[in-house]
Amino acid sequence: MNLKVENNILFVQTNLDKFNVSELKEQFLRLKKSRELQGVSVIDLEAVQEIDSAGVALLDSFQELLESEAKLLLMRGASASVRSLIETFSTTKLEFVEVPKPTGLWETVGESALNFYQMMVTALTLASEIFYYSLVGIFSRKTARKGSLIQQAFILGSQALPIVALLSFIIGFILSLQSGMQLKNFGVGVFLADLLSITMVREMGPLITSIIVAGRSGSAIASEIATMEVTEELDALRMMALHPIKFIVVPKFHAITIVMPILVMFSILVSQIGGAIIAVGVLDTSFENFVARSINILSIKDIIISFSKSIWFAWVIVIVGAFYGFQVKGGAEGVGKATTSAVVTSIFAVIVFDAIFSLLYL
Amino acid sequence: MSSIKPVIRIKDLVAKYGDLTILKGITVDIMPHEITVILGSSGCGKTTLLKNMLRLYEPFAGSVHFWDENVLEMNEKEFDEVLKKTGMLFQGGALLNSISIYDNVSIPLEMHTNLDKDLMDKIIKVKLKLVGLSHAMHKLPAELSGGMRKRASLARAMALDPEILFFDEPTAGLDPITSESLDALILTLKKQLNMTFVIVTHELASIHRIADKIIFLDSGEMLFCGTLKEAEKAGIPQMDRFFKVGKF
Ligand SMILES: Nc1ncnc2c1ncn2[C@@H]1O[C@H](COP(=O)(O)OP(=O)(O)OP(=O)(O)O)[C@@H](O)[C@H]1O
Ligand SMILES: [Mg+2]
């Protein structure tokens, strides 16, 4: 039996098309005769995946057959495509109701956990592809266009440089002002150089730079890829036997890997200038002394941490940007969403990674 | 007749977007050196058919043979070789927006050949001349009209002298004269270069000019495959309506 009555709901458990409607109608009449349809006011179409005009006619006739009992049939659980077909072909006015599935707390939790898991799998797959092709790309000549690495590096660097410089200077200045006053109260103003140097090299330099680059270049990567997806440019690349990851992402990956450490170094230097102004102007340290202390306090380990942080953060930014770019759905609006998500997520991820790093290499 | 082998054999191709089935098992052969036109109302899955046979979306089920080899079983490298022998003109042009149309045409040559600069330049210029865009070659796609963009995209699709060209509505949005000259270009390419074409189009005039075979799609199924003459006599209501309404 393809029709079943349960709790006053008539369940249709098959597709409805011209080949089975006659039989279903007989079933329906039998049910009606045996009075099983009494009280039925809802037809559940959840199991119906396909329906044609004959199927819709059948639903219409169900409605008419029950009308004699003065009942209005409501359709529920119809998929979007089934529903649109019914709305096109129905001659009587079939009414739809949405029946929200009862979702318990655990189902909701489970579902979002599953979604998160799937997202992580996609992101990790993408990350591994990016790493793989970036590695291969170093040795093979023809993955991207000539000159695109230099071009990308230049764009990335020159975009971020002014604002990195300005922000680093301000932060170096403020940090020194705040902590310099405290140090002076204890009579150890000379230590400002040590303090600032360590903070900037190990923490603030990579962090500030990454946040700026995430905002600038991470968003640019996401929006570029998303736009290309929406305008079929990615498909066009595929048709030219080119691989979007190799062609678009890898040059950016290489460029950012080169540029980021330079930007971080630059950020640290500029912040020291801000610090030096306070040290010389307010704390009466000599400039030479400040510079010497700043350099002497640093160990090789500090520099390695700074360097590896900057590269890791750079990779996080590219991968997150590319991830949201490729994930884009639905036209120009989707591009905006992808870009926003990319920036928010990459800044979040950079800070989380920073915390992990700091815990690992205390 | 029967000794000619089809270049593309599609069998029971099922295409889905998520849970939504768009193509419900398409089986069709595309013959070499012919112009096959895919017809059907908007949203019936024509673009989807092209994209699935070219693996721009992975088909849900079925098989697609290009030159007797199942492309769905190929790895990426092997399929790249097939793609190099095909070209596609997308519905919206799909040119890379950040570079000039000259550079757009040069990409396939740069990436897949070892030609020197001079030869490459000559090839690019010939292709652009063929589509009548010599005067605009250093413009960015955004500075072109819709029709020019389509023609530029055609030049790019032809860069590597493919054996099969796929067109998604090449003449939609073009004026009748430009569209006729595009058709003439297609016929020339077919005759002179022995190319095979698969073309999605709605335009009756264009169909009459170029079609060797017609495939008619309706709600995810193939209702007809044959010549234009056969199509007019086939007595398939949906298709008859298509031809009748289009006449006016
Ligand atoms: N990326 C997608 N995700 C989900 N559904 C899609 C997607 N692309 C197309 N569709 C759906 O698939 C169906 C077929 O689309 P397709 O683009 O193949 O139509 P078409 O025959 O090319 O139409 P047109 O003549 O208007 O170009 C449409 O109903 C459309 O809504
Ligand atoms: Mg289309």
Side-chain angles (χ1 to χ4, degrees), chain A residues 81 141-143 145 228 231-233 235-236 238-243, chain B residues 51 56 76 80 83 90 94-97 108 110-114 156:
Chain A
S81 58
R141 212 163 43 83
K142 279 194 173 161
T143 50
R145 298 188 75 206
M228 292 181 83
T231 55
E232 291 184 313
E233 283 173 58
D235 284 340
R238 242 347 254 143
M239 279 307 295
M240 290 188 264
L242 300 174
H243 195 291
Chain B
K51 287 194 174 173
L56 297 173
E76 215 177 271
D80 276 353
L83 286 175
F90 286 85
L95 295 164
L96 300 183
N97 276 309
E110 268 176 49
M111 302 300 294
H112 296 310
T113 68
N114 290 316
R156 183 180 66 182

PDB file of all heavy atoms in Angstrom, chain A residues 81 141-143 145 228 231-233 235-236 238-243, chain B residues 51 56 76 80 83 90 94-97 108 110-114 156:
ATOM      1  N   SER A  81      10.664  21.630  -5.151  1.00  0.00           N
ATOM      2  CA  SER A  81      10.363  21.357  -6.552  1.00  0.00           C
ATOM      3  C   SER A  81       8.969  20.751  -6.695  1.00  0.00           C
ATOM      4  O   SER A  81       8.222  21.085  -7.612  1.00  0.00           O
ATOM      5  CB  SER A  81      11.421  20.436  -7.158  1.00  0.00           C
ATOM      6  OG  SER A  81      11.473  19.242  -6.429  1.00  0.00           O
ATOM      7  N   ARG A 141      57.801  24.584 -13.375  1.00  0.00           N
ATOM      8  CA  ARG A 141      57.824  25.901 -13.980  1.00  0.00           C
ATOM      9  C   ARG A 141      56.407  26.423 -14.247  1.00  0.00           C
ATOM     10  O   ARG A 141      56.080  27.547 -13.955  1.00  0.00           O
ATOM     11  CB  ARG A 141      58.611  25.819 -15.286  1.00  0.00           C
ATOM     12  CG  ARG A 141      59.358  27.065 -15.650  1.00  0.00           C
ATOM     13  CD  ARG A 141      60.406  26.721 -16.698  1.00  0.00           C
ATOM     14  NE  ARG A 141      59.866  25.835 -17.711  1.00  0.00           N
ATOM     15  CZ  ARG A 141      59.168  26.262 -18.754  1.00  0.00           C
ATOM     16  NH1 ARG A 141      58.941  27.535 -18.917  1.00  0.00           N
ATOM     17  NH2 ARG A 141      58.704  25.410 -19.653  1.00  0.00           N
ATOM     18  N   LYS A 142      55.598  25.531 -14.825  1.00  0.00           N
ATOM     19  CA  LYS A 142      54.344  26.050 -15.355  1.00  0.00           C
ATOM     20  C   LYS A 142      53.147  25.776 -14.456  1.00  0.00           C
ATOM     21  O   LYS A 142      52.362  24.886 -14.698  1.00  0.00           O
ATOM     22  CB  LYS A 142      54.085  25.436 -16.726  1.00  0.00           C
ATOM     23  CG  LYS A 142      54.864  26.154 -17.788  1.00  0.00           C
ATOM     24  CD  LYS A 142      54.400  25.815 -19.156  1.00  0.00           C
ATOM     25  CE  LYS A 142      55.120  26.691 -20.147  1.00  0.00           C
ATOM     26  NZ  LYS A 142      55.087  26.174 -21.478  1.00  0.00           N
ATOM     27  N   THR A 143      53.010  26.518 -13.391  1.00  0.00           N
ATOM     28  CA  THR A 143      51.754  26.404 -12.654  1.00  0.00           C
ATOM     29  C   THR A 143      51.011  27.732 -12.701  1.00  0.00           C
ATOM     30  O   THR A 143      49.817  27.777 -12.797  1.00  0.00           O
ATOM     31  CB  THR A 143      51.975  25.994 -11.194  1.00  0.00           C
ATOM     32  OG1 THR A 143      52.958  26.841 -10.655  1.00  0.00           O
ATOM     33  CG2 THR A 143      52.394  24.554 -11.100  1.00  0.00           C
ATOM     34  N   ARG A 145      51.163  32.068 -14.120  1.00  0.00           N
ATOM     35  CA  ARG A 145      51.721  32.887 -15.180  1.00  0.00           C
ATOM     36  C   ARG A 145      53.048  33.486 -14.745  1.00  0.00           C
ATOM     37  O   ARG A 145      53.295  33.698 -13.564  1.00  0.00           O
ATOM     38  CB  ARG A 145      50.767  34.019 -15.520  1.00  0.00           C
ATOM     39  CG  ARG A 145      49.452  33.537 -16.024  1.00  0.00           C
ATOM     40  CD  ARG A 145      48.651  34.711 -16.517  1.00  0.00           C
ATOM     41  NE  ARG A 145      49.152  35.182 -17.790  1.00  0.00           N
ATOM     42  CZ  ARG A 145      49.003  36.446 -18.216  1.00  0.00           C
ATOM     43  NH1 ARG A 145      48.436  37.328 -17.456  1.00  0.00           N
ATOM     44  NH2 ARG A 145      49.445  36.800 -19.406  1.00  0.00           N
ATOM     45  N   MET A 228      35.268  35.150  -8.923  1.00  0.00           N
ATOM     46  CA  MET A 228      35.586  34.288 -10.058  1.00  0.00           C
ATOM     47  C   MET A 228      34.648  33.085 -10.124  1.00  0.00           C
ATOM     48  O   MET A 228      34.262  32.645 -11.200  1.00  0.00           O
ATOM     49  CB  MET A 228      37.034  33.817  -9.985  1.00  0.00           C
ATOM     50  CG  MET A 228      38.020  34.937 -10.198  1.00  0.00           C
ATOM     51  SD  MET A 228      39.706  34.367 -10.145  1.00  0.00           S
ATOM     52  CE  MET A 228      39.929  33.776 -11.811  1.00  0.00           C
ATOM     53  N   THR A 231      31.229  34.354 -11.445  1.00  0.00           N
ATOM     54  CA  THR A 231      31.185  34.727 -12.862  1.00  0.00           C
ATOM     55  C   THR A 231      31.671  33.597 -13.775  1.00  0.00           C
ATOM     56  O   THR A 231      31.974  33.830 -14.938  1.00  0.00           O
ATOM     57  CB  THR A 231      32.067  35.956 -13.136  1.00  0.00           C
ATOM     58  OG1 THR A 231      33.385  35.660 -12.655  1.00  0.00           O
ATOM     59  CG2 THR A 231      31.543  37.178 -12.439  1.00  0.00           C
ATOM     60  N   GLU A 232      31.755  32.390 -13.244  1.00  0.00           N
ATOM     61  CA  GLU A 232      32.156  31.210 -14.009  1.00  0.00           C
ATOM     62  C   GLU A 232      33.612  31.247 -14.461  1.00  0.00           C
ATOM     63  O   GLU A 232      34.045  30.445 -15.270  1.00  0.00           O
ATOM     64  CB  GLU A 232      31.266  31.002 -15.241  1.00  0.00           C
ATOM     65  CG  GLU A 232      29.836  30.590 -14.910  1.00  0.00           C
ATOM     66  CD  GLU A 232      28.997  30.301 -16.151  1.00  0.00           C
ATOM     67  OE1 GLU A 232      29.041  31.117 -17.084  1.00  0.00           O
ATOM     68  OE2 GLU A 232      28.318  29.265 -16.177  1.00  0.00           O
ATOM     69  N   GLU A 233      34.397  32.206 -13.923  1.00  0.00           N
ATOM     70  CA  GLU A 233      35.802  32.259 -14.334  1.00  0.00           C
ATOM     71  C   GLU A 233      36.568  31.021 -13.879  1.00  0.00           C
ATOM     72  O   GLU A 233      37.478  30.567 -14.565  1.00  0.00           O
ATOM     73  CB  GLU A 233      36.477  33.510 -13.758  1.00  0.00           C
ATOM     74  CG  GLU A 233      36.110  34.779 -14.503  1.00  0.00           C
ATOM     75  CD  GLU A 233      36.652  36.013 -13.804  1.00  0.00           C
ATOM     76  OE1 GLU A 233      37.859  36.101 -13.610  1.00  0.00           O
ATOM     77  OE2 GLU A 233      35.840  36.885 -13.451  1.00  0.00           O
ATOM     78  N   ASP A 235      35.332  28.000 -13.633  1.00  0.00           N
ATOM     79  CA  ASP A 235      35.003  26.962 -14.612  1.00  0.00           C
ATOM     80  C   ASP A 235      35.800  27.177 -15.890  1.00  0.00           C
ATOM     81  O   ASP A 235      36.280  26.227 -16.504  1.00  0.00           O
ATOM     82  CB  ASP A 235      33.505  26.993 -14.940  1.00  0.00           C
ATOM     83  CG  ASP A 235      32.672  26.376 -13.826  1.00  0.00           C
ATOM     84  OD1 ASP A 235      33.248  25.621 -13.021  1.00  0.00           O
ATOM     85  OD2 ASP A 235      31.470  26.654 -13.766  1.00  0.00           O
ATOM     86  N   ALA A 236      35.907  28.444 -16.284  1.00  0.00           N
ATOM     87  CA  ALA A 236      36.659  28.739 -17.503  1.00  0.00           C
ATOM     88  C   ALA A 236      38.116  28.315 -17.352  1.00  0.00           C
ATOM     89  O   ALA A 236      38.709  27.761 -18.278  1.00  0.00           O
ATOM     90  CB  ALA A 236      36.566  30.223 -17.835  1.00  0.00           C
ATOM     91  N   ARG A 238      39.222  25.896 -15.464  1.00  0.00           N
ATOM     92  CA  ARG A 238      39.217  24.434 -15.549  1.00  0.00           C
ATOM     93  C   ARG A 238      39.170  23.996 -17.013  1.00  0.00           C
ATOM     94  O   ARG A 238      39.849  23.071 -17.421  1.00  0.00           O
ATOM     95  CB  ARG A 238      37.978  23.913 -14.830  1.00  0.00           C
ATOM     96  CG  ARG A 238      38.137  23.025 -13.627  1.00  0.00           C
ATOM     97  CD  ARG A 238      39.466  22.466 -13.366  1.00  0.00           C
ATOM     98  NE  ARG A 238      39.567  21.050 -13.691  1.00  0.00           N
ATOM     99  CZ  ARG A 238      40.644  20.483 -14.216  1.00  0.00           C
ATOM    100  NH1 ARG A 238      41.718  21.182 -14.485  1.00  0.00           N
ATOM    101  NH2 ARG A 238      40.661  19.201 -14.469  1.00  0.00           N
ATOM    102  N   MET A 239      38.337  24.695 -17.800  1.00  0.00           N
ATOM    103  CA  MET A 239      38.208  24.340 -19.216  1.00  0.00           C
ATOM    104  C   MET A 239      39.511  24.566 -19.967  1.00  0.00           C
ATOM    105  O   MET A 239      39.746  23.965 -20.998  1.00  0.00           O
ATOM    106  CB  MET A 239      37.095  25.154 -19.882  1.00  0.00           C
ATOM    107  CG  MET A 239      35.707  24.628 -19.654  1.00  0.00           C
ATOM    108  SD  MET A 239      35.527  22.895 -20.080  1.00  0.00           S
ATOM    109  CE  MET A 239      35.818  22.922 -21.844  1.00  0.00           C
ATOM    110  N   MET A 240      40.349  25.481 -19.455  1.00  0.00           N
ATOM    111  CA  MET A 240      41.649  25.666 -20.093  1.00  0.00           C
ATOM    112  C   MET A 240      42.661  24.687 -19.509  1.00  0.00           C
ATOM    113  O   MET A 240      43.865  24.888 -19.632  1.00  0.00           O
ATOM    114  CB  MET A 240      42.123  27.101 -19.889  1.00  0.00           C
ATOM    115  CG  MET A 240      41.317  28.107 -20.668  1.00  0.00           C
ATOM    116  SD  MET A 240      42.057  29.740 -20.570  1.00  0.00           S
ATOM    117  CE  MET A 240      41.127  30.471 -19.259  1.00  0.00           C
ATOM    118  N   ALA A 241      42.158  23.650 -18.830  1.00  0.00           N
ATOM    119  CA  ALA A 241      43.012  22.637 -18.202  1.00  0.00           C
ATOM    120  C   ALA A 241      43.946  23.261 -17.172  1.00  0.00           C
ATOM    121  O   ALA A 241      45.074  22.835 -16.998  1.00  0.00           O
ATOM    122  CB  ALA A 241      43.801  21.849 -19.254  1.00  0.00           C
ATOM    123  N   LEU A 242      43.474  24.300 -16.515  1.00  0.00           N
ATOM    124  CA  LEU A 242      44.247  24.901 -15.436  1.00  0.00           C
ATOM    125  C   LEU A 242      43.547  24.605 -14.124  1.00  0.00           C
ATOM    126  O   LEU A 242      42.339  24.432 -14.082  1.00  0.00           O
ATOM    127  CB  LEU A 242      44.345  26.422 -15.634  1.00  0.00           C
ATOM    128  CG  LEU A 242      45.018  26.851 -16.927  1.00  0.00           C
ATOM    129  CD1 LEU A 242      44.937  28.355 -17.088  1.00  0.00           C
ATOM    130  CD2 LEU A 242      46.460  26.403 -16.931  1.00  0.00           C
ATOM    131  N   HIS A 243      44.343  24.564 -13.061  1.00  0.00           N
ATOM    132  CA  HIS A 243      43.803  24.211 -11.764  1.00  0.00           C
ATOM    133  C   HIS A 243      43.673  25.481 -10.926  1.00  0.00           C
ATOM    134  O   HIS A 243      44.674  26.151 -10.697  1.00  0.00           O
ATOM    135  CB  HIS A 243      44.759  23.215 -11.104  1.00  0.00           C
ATOM    136  CG  HIS A 243      44.161  22.509  -9.950  1.00  0.00           C
ATOM    137  ND1 HIS A 243      43.875  23.155  -8.775  1.00  0.00           N
ATOM    138  CD2 HIS A 243      43.773  21.228  -9.780  1.00  0.00           C
ATOM    139  CE1 HIS A 243      43.350  22.292  -7.927  1.00  0.00           C
ATOM    140  NE2 HIS A 243      43.273  21.108  -8.519  1.00  0.00           N
TER     141      HIS A 243
ATOM    142  N   LYS B  51      28.088  21.324 -18.213  1.00  0.00           N
ATOM    143  CA  LYS B  51      29.041  21.336 -17.099  1.00  0.00           C
ATOM    144  C   LYS B  51      29.300  19.943 -16.565  1.00  0.00           C
ATOM    145  O   LYS B  51      30.399  19.648 -16.123  1.00  0.00           O
ATOM    146  CB  LYS B  51      28.534  22.239 -15.985  1.00  0.00           C
ATOM    147  CG  LYS B  51      28.658  23.703 -16.359  1.00  0.00           C
ATOM    148  CD  LYS B  51      28.497  24.600 -15.178  1.00  0.00           C
ATOM    149  CE  LYS B  51      28.774  26.032 -15.618  1.00  0.00           C
ATOM    150  NZ  LYS B  51      28.475  26.998 -14.565  1.00  0.00           N
ATOM    151  N   LEU B  56      32.803  19.919 -14.727  1.00  0.00           N
ATOM    152  CA  LEU B  56      32.892  21.137 -13.926  1.00  0.00           C
ATOM    153  C   LEU B  56      32.048  20.943 -12.674  1.00  0.00           C
ATOM    154  O   LEU B  56      32.270  21.572 -11.652  1.00  0.00           O
ATOM    155  CB  LEU B  56      32.426  22.347 -14.742  1.00  0.00           C
ATOM    156  CG  LEU B  56      33.307  22.619 -15.965  1.00  0.00           C
ATOM    157  CD1 LEU B  56      32.737  23.711 -16.832  1.00  0.00           C
ATOM    158  CD2 LEU B  56      34.722  22.966 -15.546  1.00  0.00           C
ATOM    159  N   GLU B  76      43.014  13.673 -12.648  1.00  0.00           N
ATOM    160  CA  GLU B  76      43.017  15.051 -13.126  1.00  0.00           C
ATOM    161  C   GLU B  76      43.958  15.267 -14.305  1.00  0.00           C
ATOM    162  O   GLU B  76      43.631  15.951 -15.272  1.00  0.00           O
ATOM    163  CB  GLU B  76      43.416  15.947 -11.963  1.00  0.00           C
ATOM    164  CG  GLU B  76      42.709  17.265 -11.992  1.00  0.00           C
ATOM    165  CD  GLU B  76      43.098  18.069 -10.789  1.00  0.00           C
ATOM    166  OE1 GLU B  76      42.430  17.927  -9.771  1.00  0.00           O
ATOM    167  OE2 GLU B  76      44.080  18.810 -10.871  1.00  0.00           O
ATOM    168  N   ASP B  80      42.978  16.562 -17.954  1.00  0.00           N
ATOM    169  CA  ASP B  80      43.556  17.792 -18.488  1.00  0.00           C
ATOM    170  C   ASP B  80      43.849  17.661 -19.976  1.00  0.00           C
ATOM    171  O   ASP B  80      43.656  18.589 -20.755  1.00  0.00           O
ATOM    172  CB  ASP B  80      44.859  18.131 -17.752  1.00  0.00           C
ATOM    173  CG  ASP B  80      44.593  18.879 -16.451  1.00  0.00           C
ATOM    174  OD1 ASP B  80      43.423  19.228 -16.212  1.00  0.00           O
ATOM    175  OD2 ASP B  80      45.537  19.099 -15.688  1.00  0.00           O
ATOM    176  N   LEU B  83      40.747  18.096 -21.827  1.00  0.00           N
ATOM    177  CA  LEU B  83      40.320  19.502 -21.805  1.00  0.00           C
ATOM    178  C   LEU B  83      41.110  20.355 -22.789  1.00  0.00           C
ATOM    179  O   LEU B  83      40.585  21.298 -23.367  1.00  0.00           O
ATOM    180  CB  LEU B  83      40.474  20.075 -20.390  1.00  0.00           C
ATOM    181  CG  LEU B  83      39.439  19.597 -19.366  1.00  0.00           C
ATOM    182  CD1 LEU B  83      39.775  20.136 -17.984  1.00  0.00           C
ATOM    183  CD2 LEU B  83      38.035  20.009 -19.772  1.00  0.00           C
ATOM    184  N   PHE B  90      31.442  30.349 -22.269  1.00  0.00           N
ATOM    185  CA  PHE B  90      30.438  30.366 -21.204  1.00  0.00           C
ATOM    186  C   PHE B  90      29.352  31.397 -21.478  1.00  0.00           C
ATOM    187  O   PHE B  90      29.555  32.359 -22.215  1.00  0.00           O
ATOM    188  CB  PHE B  90      31.102  30.641 -19.863  1.00  0.00           C
ATOM    189  CG  PHE B  90      31.869  29.467 -19.349  1.00  0.00           C
ATOM    190  CD1 PHE B  90      33.175  29.251 -19.742  1.00  0.00           C
ATOM    191  CD2 PHE B  90      31.274  28.557 -18.509  1.00  0.00           C
ATOM    192  CE1 PHE B  90      33.881  28.163 -19.286  1.00  0.00           C
ATOM    193  CE2 PHE B  90      31.966  27.460 -18.050  1.00  0.00           C
ATOM    194  CZ  PHE B  90      33.271  27.269 -18.446  1.00  0.00           C
ATOM    195  N   ALA B  94      32.858  34.788 -19.032  1.00  0.00           N
ATOM    196  CA  ALA B  94      33.814  34.250 -18.066  1.00  0.00           C
ATOM    197  C   ALA B  94      35.265  34.560 -18.413  1.00  0.00           C
ATOM    198  O   ALA B  94      36.156  33.741 -18.260  1.00  0.00           O
ATOM    199  CB  ALA B  94      33.633  32.739 -17.878  1.00  0.00           C
ATOM    200  N   LEU B  95      35.517  35.771 -18.871  1.00  0.00           N
ATOM    201  CA  LEU B  95      36.908  36.187 -19.073  1.00  0.00           C
ATOM    202  C   LEU B  95      37.510  36.531 -17.722  1.00  0.00           C
ATOM    203  O   LEU B  95      36.788  36.904 -16.799  1.00  0.00           O
ATOM    204  CB  LEU B  95      36.943  37.424 -19.974  1.00  0.00           C
ATOM    205  CG  LEU B  95      36.447  37.213 -21.395  1.00  0.00           C
ATOM    206  CD1 LEU B  95      36.149  38.543 -22.053  1.00  0.00           C
ATOM    207  CD2 LEU B  95      37.468  36.452 -22.209  1.00  0.00           C
ATOM    208  N   LEU B  96      38.830  36.387 -17.607  1.00  0.00           N
ATOM    209  CA  LEU B  96      39.474  36.810 -16.369  1.00  0.00           C
ATOM    210  C   LEU B  96      39.465  38.336 -16.353  1.00  0.00           C
ATOM    211  O   LEU B  96      40.013  38.982 -17.244  1.00  0.00           O
ATOM    212  CB  LEU B  96      40.906  36.279 -16.302  1.00  0.00           C
ATOM    213  CG  LEU B  96      41.029  34.760 -16.351  1.00  0.00           C
ATOM    214  CD1 LEU B  96      42.483  34.351 -16.213  1.00  0.00           C
ATOM    215  CD2 LEU B  96      40.198  34.102 -15.268  1.00  0.00           C
ATOM    216  N   ASN B  97      38.841  38.884 -15.323  1.00  0.00           N
ATOM    217  CA  ASN B  97      38.523  40.306 -15.346  1.00  0.00           C
ATOM    218  C   ASN B  97      39.684  41.244 -15.078  1.00  0.00           C
ATOM    219  O   ASN B  97      39.602  42.420 -15.371  1.00  0.00           O
ATOM    220  CB  ASN B  97      37.399  40.593 -14.352  1.00  0.00           C
ATOM    221  CG  ASN B  97      36.058  40.326 -14.993  1.00  0.00           C
ATOM    222  OD1 ASN B  97      35.787  40.829 -16.079  1.00  0.00           O
ATOM    223  ND2 ASN B  97      35.243  39.507 -14.360  1.00  0.00           N
ATOM    224  N   PRO B 108      46.007  30.255 -22.223  1.00  0.00           N
ATOM    225  CA  PRO B 108      46.149  28.835 -22.585  1.00  0.00           C
ATOM    226  C   PRO B 108      47.456  28.565 -23.327  1.00  0.00           C
ATOM    227  O   PRO B 108      48.082  27.520 -23.119  1.00  0.00           O
ATOM    228  CB  PRO B 108      44.951  28.580 -23.512  1.00  0.00           C
ATOM    229  CG  PRO B 108      44.032  29.707 -23.348  1.00  0.00           C
ATOM    230  CD  PRO B 108      44.792  30.851 -22.798  1.00  0.00           C
ATOM    231  N   GLU B 110      50.366  30.319 -23.090  1.00  0.00           N
ATOM    232  CA  GLU B 110      51.469  30.407 -22.137  1.00  0.00           C
ATOM    233  C   GLU B 110      51.584  29.154 -21.282  1.00  0.00           C
ATOM    234  O   GLU B 110      52.677  28.679 -21.007  1.00  0.00           O
ATOM    235  CB  GLU B 110      51.218  31.581 -21.180  1.00  0.00           C
ATOM    236  CG  GLU B 110      51.820  32.885 -21.589  1.00  0.00           C
ATOM    237  CD  GLU B 110      51.397  33.975 -20.607  1.00  0.00           C
ATOM    238  OE1 GLU B 110      51.516  33.755 -19.392  1.00  0.00           O
ATOM    239  OE2 GLU B 110      50.934  35.023 -21.075  1.00  0.00           O
ATOM    240  N   MET B 111      50.416  28.664 -20.849  1.00  0.00           N
ATOM    241  CA  MET B 111      50.436  27.592 -19.860  1.00  0.00           C
ATOM    242  C   MET B 111      50.651  26.216 -20.473  1.00  0.00           C
ATOM    243  O   MET B 111      51.138  25.316 -19.816  1.00  0.00           O
ATOM    244  CB  MET B 111      49.138  27.585 -19.053  1.00  0.00           C
ATOM    245  CG  MET B 111      48.839  28.873 -18.341  1.00  0.00           C
ATOM    246  SD  MET B 111      50.105  29.361 -17.152  1.00  0.00           S
ATOM    247  CE  MET B 111      49.928  28.060 -15.952  1.00  0.00           C
ATOM    248  N   HIS B 112      50.237  26.036 -21.709  1.00  0.00           N
ATOM    249  CA  HIS B 112      50.273  24.680 -22.249  1.00  0.00           C
ATOM    250  C   HIS B 112      51.187  24.484 -23.455  1.00  0.00           C
ATOM    251  O   HIS B 112      51.239  23.413 -24.015  1.00  0.00           O
ATOM    252  CB  HIS B 112      48.861  24.237 -22.634  1.00  0.00           C
ATOM    253  CG  HIS B 112      47.940  24.141 -21.467  1.00  0.00           C
ATOM    254  ND1 HIS B 112      48.261  23.468 -20.322  1.00  0.00           N
ATOM    255  CD2 HIS B 112      46.710  24.652 -21.255  1.00  0.00           C
ATOM    256  CE1 HIS B 112      47.278  23.566 -19.458  1.00  0.00           C
ATOM    257  NE2 HIS B 112      46.325  24.283 -19.989  1.00  0.00           N
ATOM    258  N   THR B 113      51.870  25.535 -23.897  1.00  0.00           N
ATOM    259  CA  THR B 113      52.771  25.342 -25.029  1.00  0.00           C
ATOM    260  C   THR B 113      54.133  25.941 -24.694  1.00  0.00           C
ATOM    261  O   THR B 113      54.280  26.676 -23.722  1.00  0.00           O
ATOM    262  CB  THR B 113      52.256  26.052 -26.300  1.00  0.00           C
ATOM    263  OG1 THR B 113      52.323  27.465 -26.080  1.00  0.00           O
ATOM    264  CG2 THR B 113      50.841  25.654 -26.626  1.00  0.00           C
ATOM    265  N   ASN B 114      55.109  25.637 -25.522  1.00  0.00           N
ATOM    266  CA  ASN B 114      56.429  26.226 -25.335  1.00  0.00           C
ATOM    267  C   ASN B 114      56.764  27.206 -26.453  1.00  0.00           C
ATOM    268  O   ASN B 114      57.921  27.435 -26.774  1.00  0.00           O
ATOM    269  CB  ASN B 114      57.495  25.124 -25.284  1.00  0.00           C
ATOM    270  CG  ASN B 114      57.383  24.323 -24.015  1.00  0.00           C
ATOM    271  OD1 ASN B 114      57.208  24.902 -22.939  1.00  0.00           O
ATOM    272  ND2 ASN B 114      57.448  23.018 -24.138  1.00  0.00           N
ATOM    273  N   ARG B 156      39.485  33.044 -27.006  1.00  0.00           N
ATOM    274  CA  ARG B 156      40.248  32.316 -26.003  1.00  0.00           C
ATOM    275  C   ARG B 156      40.004  30.810 -26.101  1.00  0.00           C
ATOM    276  O   ARG B 156      40.932  30.014 -26.011  1.00  0.00           O
ATOM    277  CB  ARG B 156      39.892  32.820 -24.607  1.00  0.00           C
ATOM    278  CG  ARG B 156      40.717  32.157 -23.525  1.00  0.00           C
ATOM    279  CD  ARG B 156      40.369  32.666 -22.148  1.00  0.00           C
ATOM    280  NE  ARG B 156      39.013  32.306 -21.761  1.00  0.00           N
ATOM    281  CZ  ARG B 156      38.454  32.669 -20.609  1.00  0.00           C
ATOM    282  NH1 ARG B 156      39.129  33.423 -19.774  1.00  0.00           N
ATOM    283  NH2 ARG B 156      37.234  32.299 -20.323  1.00  0.00           N
TER     284      ARG B 156
END
